[in-house]
């Protein structure tokens, strides 16, 4: 017998432990199906998906092309291991990823989640220095940025610096060299937008000059630090970091889990500053947001340090049961086909411009401190005092209140603290974009008119 609606809601509150959710306060929102950018709940109520089902949906839900590719793969094999074995779909995907990635990234390691892709990159970077032809065994540390987010496993949390998510686990983490977040809204005293890149790069240069002998890699989210609240890096920063890493013989790990697959306007964010990292992490949009899959791409230089006879013990001793899963690979290949067939990237500029127009208007609101955007990735930061850039106390949950109001207007949004995130599927129409931003604006007005 089918469970009743009440049973579903009851079990959703008790049996399911939801991610990043205070279960004592959780109010079930149960989505039964979706089409394009629209989600439908149990009552058939339509909700526009303003955050791409948490930053991963690319071409819309139930895209016929991707659905068909998964069904087709399902009739062959759902899963085979990548430990010493392969299948045509996963092989083809690796080849396609190498073709579209920045030149020089020539080898693909598959895992299941973004966090795992970052863990793999850390272990590869560490092991590379231990066993390359000219080993540098003291290079064991990592440089990470303030407000970084790279996932929720212990290695990626060690890189991370989102106070509320990460402070609790401090005793479990390894130390990193931490530099201030290279963001553009709350600049240090005396620094302007024009001098910001040079300022942050100066800090990186000082650190690398002093400690490069012990540093394996610098880890960055290119162009935009997503979970930091869509913090934008000043132009030139990413290219500068890449240059400094080269100069000081330190690897560069680019975490494109959030920025990859068209999100910032180009297929990968690194392209915008002609940066080729040594290791690049992909996830979220890789399968169009359909299935769990991530990938770590490596340069040939890094990869070759792992080659040798079995007895040399240079093997990368790391793997995940479902790494390279063929169903996910089929979804990923179809996602890349749709990029070509629907000219997804060529059609982005007008959507990016329309989003920009809405943000410019919303930025005028007295409690909007900043409305920032890179491609179809945007954050509207609510502040209690605009001139002082004073954040609302996090306990007031202004961002969440704005999103709750938007939900009443038929738009699903999920904030990052005081930042209302706008991150629709790349397939969003201009009309849908208008609806999302009008609902967000109404939510923001309502949530900031109220006292504490
Ligand atoms: C979401 C995210 C991750 C983690 O990916 P999961 O699939 O949730 O493990 C890692 N890095 C960045 C930049 C992300 O935005």
């Amino acid at each position: 017998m089918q469970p009743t609606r009440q049973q579903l809601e009851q079990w959703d509150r008790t049996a399911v432990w939801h991610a990043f959710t205070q279960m004592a306060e959780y109010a079930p929102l149960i989505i039964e199906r979706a089409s394009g950018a629209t989600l439908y709940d149990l009552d058939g109520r339509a909700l526009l998906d303003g955050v791409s089902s948490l930053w991963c949906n690319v071409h819309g839900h139930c895209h016929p092309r991707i659905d068909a590719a998964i069904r087709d793969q399902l009739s062959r094999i759902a899963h085979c291991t990548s430990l010493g074995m392969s299948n045509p779909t996963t092989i083809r995907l690796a080849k396609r990823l190498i073709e579209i990635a920045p030149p020089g990234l020539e080898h693909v390691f598959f895992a299941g989640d973004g966090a795992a892709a970052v863990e793999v990159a850390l272990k590869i970077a560490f092991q590379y220095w231990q066993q390359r032809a000219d080993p540098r065994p003291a290079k064991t540390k990592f440089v990470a940025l303030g407000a970084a987010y790279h996932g929720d496993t212990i290695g990626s949390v060690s890189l991370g610096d989102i106070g509320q998510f990460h402070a609790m686990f401090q005793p479990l983490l390894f130390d990193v060299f931490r530099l201030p977040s290279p963001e553009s809204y709350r600049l240090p005293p005396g620094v302007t937008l024009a001098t910001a890149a040079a300022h942050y790069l100066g800090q990186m240069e000082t650190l690398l000059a002093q400690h490069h002998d012990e540093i394996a890699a610098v880890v960055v989210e290119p162009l935009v630090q997503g979970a930091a609240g869509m913090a934008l890096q000043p132009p030139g920063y990413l290219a500068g970091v890449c240059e400094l890493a080269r100069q000081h013989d330190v690897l560069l790990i680019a975490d494109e889990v959030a920025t990859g697959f068209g999100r910032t306007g180009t297929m990968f964010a690194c392209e915008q500053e002609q940066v080729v990292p040594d290791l690049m992490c992909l996830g979220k949009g890789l399968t169009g947001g359909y299935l769990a899959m991530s990938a770590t791409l490596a340069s040939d230089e890094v990869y070759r340090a792992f080659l040798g006879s079995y007895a040399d013990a240079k093997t990368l001793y790391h793997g995940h049961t479902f790494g390279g899963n063929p169903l996910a690979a089929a979804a990923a290949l179809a996602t890349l086909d749709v990029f070509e067939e629907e000219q997804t990237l060529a059609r982005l500029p007008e959507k990016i411009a329309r989003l920009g127009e809405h943000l410019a208007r919303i930025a005028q609101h007295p409690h909007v401190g900043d409305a920032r955007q890179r491609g179809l990735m945007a954050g509207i930061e609510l502040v209690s005092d605009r001139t002082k850039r004073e954040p609302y106390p996090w306990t007031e949950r202004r961002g969440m209140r704005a999103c709750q109001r938007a939900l009443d207007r038929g738009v699903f949004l999920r904030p990052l603290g005081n930042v209302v995130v706008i991150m629709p599927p790349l397939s969003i129409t201009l009309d849908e974009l208008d609806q999302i931003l009008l609902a967000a604006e109404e939510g923001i007005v309502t949530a900031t008119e109220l006292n504490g």
Side-chain angles (χ1 to χ4, degrees):
M1 214 177 69
Q2 287 290 318
T4 64
R5 186 210 163 99
Q6 264 118 351
Q7 281 174 317
L8 285 175
E9 291 189 347
Q10 155 97 33
W11 300 341
D12 191 31
R13 270 195 300 261
T14 55
V16 182
W17 193 339
H18 286 268
F20 284 104
T21 299
Q22 176 43 261
M23 292 308 298
E25 294 177 357
Y26 172 66
L29 173 59
I30 305 176
I31 302 302
E32 193 164 46
R33 62 196 171 84
S35 168
T38 308
L39 311 167
Y40 297 93
D41 74 5
L42 286 177
D43 299 323
R45 177 174 62 143
L47 295 171
L48 272 171
D49 186 355
V51 286
S52 300
S53 291
L54 253 297
W55 311 3
C56 64
N57 190 279
V58 179
H59 299 303
H61 295 274
C62 288
H63 192 290
R65 188 82 169 68
I66 304 173
D67 289 8
I70 296 171
R71 285 201 189 93
D72 181 59
Q73 179 62 44
L74 197 50
S75 67
R76 287 168 229 275
I77 183 169
H79 181 63
C80 73
T81 180
S82 73
L83 277 62
M85 185 189 275
S86 202
N87 77 90
T89 312
T90 307
I91 298 168
R92 283 171 54 217
L93 175 60
K95 196 79 180 83
R96 281 283 285 281
L97 290 176
I98 292 164
E99 281 165 17
I100 61 169
L105 293 168
E106 295 176 8
H107 309 278
V108 185
F109 188 96
F110 288 107
D113 297 288
V118 174
E119 297 286 341
V120 179
L122 294 178
K123 287 171 82 173
I124 291 176
F126 179 91
Q127 196 174 335
Y128 165 78
W129 293 109
Q130 301 300 309
Q131 64 186 37
R132 67 171 201 166
D134 168 21
R136 303 280 302 279
K139 287 166 79 69
T140 60
K141 301 217 169 86
F142 293 90
V143 179
L145 302 179
Y149 179 80
H150 298 284
D152 293 326
T153 53
I154 291 301
S156 58
V157 169
S158 296
L159 299 174
D161 183 41
I162 309 274
Q164 257 180 310
F165 302 176
H166 294 156
M168 161 75 75
F169 300 106
Q170 197 57 47
L172 301 180
L173 309 180
F174 58 78
D175 281 334
V176 299
F177 289 108
R178 179 85 57 201
L179 288 174
S181 168
E183 54 108 30
S184 307
Y185 175 50
R186 291 187 181 84
L187 292 167
V191 178
T192 66
L193 211 44
T195 62
H199 171 81
Y200 295 128
L201 288 170
Q203 295 173 331
M204 181 69 78
E205 182 161 29
T206 305
L207 175 67
L208 294 184
Q210 224 177 336
H211 292 286
H212 62 94
D213 282 342
E214 33 177 338
I215 294 173
V218 174
V219 189
V220 295
E221 294 164 76
L223 299 188
V224 187
Q225 290 187 286
M230 305 298 150
L232 303 185
Q233 293 162 9
Y237 175 78
L238 180 63
V241 169
C242 185
E243 170 104 30
L244 288 170
R246 295 276 173 282
Q247 278 169 18
H248 293 92
D249 215 12
V250 160
L251 297 179
L252 176 64
I253 299 173
D255 177 356
E256 290 248 14
V257 171
T259 53
F261 298 97
R263 187 46 67 185
T264 66
T266 48
M267 189 55 96
F268 301 109
C270 282
E271 290 169 35
Q272 296 189 30
E273 300 207 350
Q274 288 85 47
V275 160
V276 181
D278 301 285
L279 293 157
M280 186 164 96
C281 305
L282 302 176
K284 291 197 168 105
L286 171 58
T287 61
Y290 267 61
L291 289 163
M293 174 177 255
S294 65
T296 305
L297 277 61
S299 71
D300 197 47
E301 158 68 21
V302 167
Y303 175 77
R304 272 187 288 111
F306 290 76
L307 302 181
S309 76
Y310 180 73
D312 290 338
K314 290 186 166 182
T315 305
L316 176 62
Y317 294 112
H318 185 103
H320 296 280
T321 301
F322 290 106
N325 173 263
L327 282 180
L333 276 172
T335 295
L336 294 176
D337 287 340
V338 176
F339 265 103
E340 286 175 14
E341 288 160 14
E342 298 186 358
Q343 291 291 294
T344 305
L345 294 179
R347 290 163 66 184
L348 280 184
E350 67 169 345
K351 303 179 190 186
I352 293 169
R354 179 71 72 100
L355 173 58
E357 289 165 23
H358 282 290
L359 292 175
R361 183 186 70 253
I362 293 172
Q364 303 304 312
H365 188 273
H367 287 287
V368 171
D370 194 27
R372 44 189 177 258
Q373 173 195 16
R374 184 74 68 126
L376 278 190
M377 198 170 183
I380 304 165
E381 180 163 346
L382 312 182
V383 290
S384 65
D385 185 318
R386 228 174 160 203
T387 38
K388 293 193 194 135
R389 308 191 173 198
E390 185 68 39
Y392 281 111
W394 66 276
T395 46
E396 289 183 10
R397 308 191 81 197
R398 299 283 176 163
M400 188 54 91
R401 280 149 74 172
C403 294
Q404 268 154 5
R405 183 83 185 111
L407 193 66
D408 299 335
R409 291 269 317 248
V411 172
F412 178 70
L413 296 171
R414 188 170 166 94
L416 290 159
N418 288 324
V419 177
V420 175
V421 173
I422 309 289
M423 200 130 143
L426 304 189
S427 58
I428 198 84
T429 66
L430 294 178
D431 282 349
E432 289 166 337
L433 205 50
D434 292 345
Q435 244 176 285
I436 290 171
L437 272 299
L438 291 173
E441 183 174 19
E442 190 179 310
I444 287 165
V445 169
T446 313
T448 56
E449 269 170 357
L450 308 164
N451 294 324

